[in-house]
Amino acid sequence: MLSTIGGNRDSELITKVWDANDGDFNFPETDISISMNMFPCIFNDAVVEEIVKNIQSSVFITRITCEKERLEINKFSEDLGHHFAACYRTVEEYTNMMKKYYSTVEVTRAFPDEIESHYGSKQYFFLCKR
């Protein structure tokens, strides 16, 4: 997504990759923030909440892979050919983590069933507003 924007990005568009591991939560004040499937890479719920708390936007849109029940994976994946780690939370867990800072206006499936992951996980867009 960032490479598509490249050098043609509008001066009104801010793109940056943040490393939550170093505690850099100094997000700019913007109209909209978009996060694409970042939260499953963070196992610590407090870090996810700290990120959401520090987002300085009136609208926050995030795409997240969710499961019916919380699932933490940290193993070698034969399919992927390397070590795989993810924390798949439920839609309710994410909604509860975000509700201190945002109202979840809508949760929508990102893909229809016929093109969903063969592992059974579901991807959702969360539309949140202050």
Side-chain angles (χ1 to χ4, degrees), residues 104-119:
T104 301
V105 175
E106 186 175 349
V107 178
T108 306
R109 286 280 304 281
F111 301 108
D113 286 336
E114 58 270 14
I115 61 171
E116 201 62 70
S117 165
H118 70 274
Y119 296 104

Side-chain angles (χ1 to χ4, degrees), residues 7-97:
N8 297 323
R9 65 180 159 215
D10 183 7
S11 63
E12 297 296 313
L13 183 65
I14 299 168
T15 59
K16 182 176 177 183
V17 176
W18 272 272
D19 184 351
N21 292 312
D22 67 9
D24 178 10
F25 301 119
N26 187 21
F27 303 130
E29 189 172 327
T30 61
D31 294 328
I32 299 172
S33 288
I34 300 172
S35 162
M36 300 301 283
N37 224 22
M38 165 184 65
F39 295 136
C41 301
I42 303 170
F43 279 72
N44 187 328
D45 290 353
V47 173
V48 173
E49 286 191 43
E50 189 69 18
I51 291 169
V52 173
K53 175 180 127 182
N54 284 285
I55 292 172
Q56 302 298 312
S57 304
S58 55
V59 175
F60 174 50
I61 300 169
T62 182
R63 188 184 82 197
I64 310 172
T65 302
C66 298
E67 289 286 342
K68 291 180 184 176
E69 297 178 5
R70 186 181 185 111
L71 174 63
E72 294 185 10
I73 302 169
N74 196 356
K75 64 179 185 179
F76 182 81
S77 169
E78 290 184 23
D79 289 347
L80 300 175
H82 57 81
H83 201 260
F84 179 77
C87 178
Y88 297 122
R89 296 167 180 89
T90 66
V91 169
E92 183 179 19
E93 282 180 287
Y94 281 115
T95 302
N96 285 334
M97 281 192 277

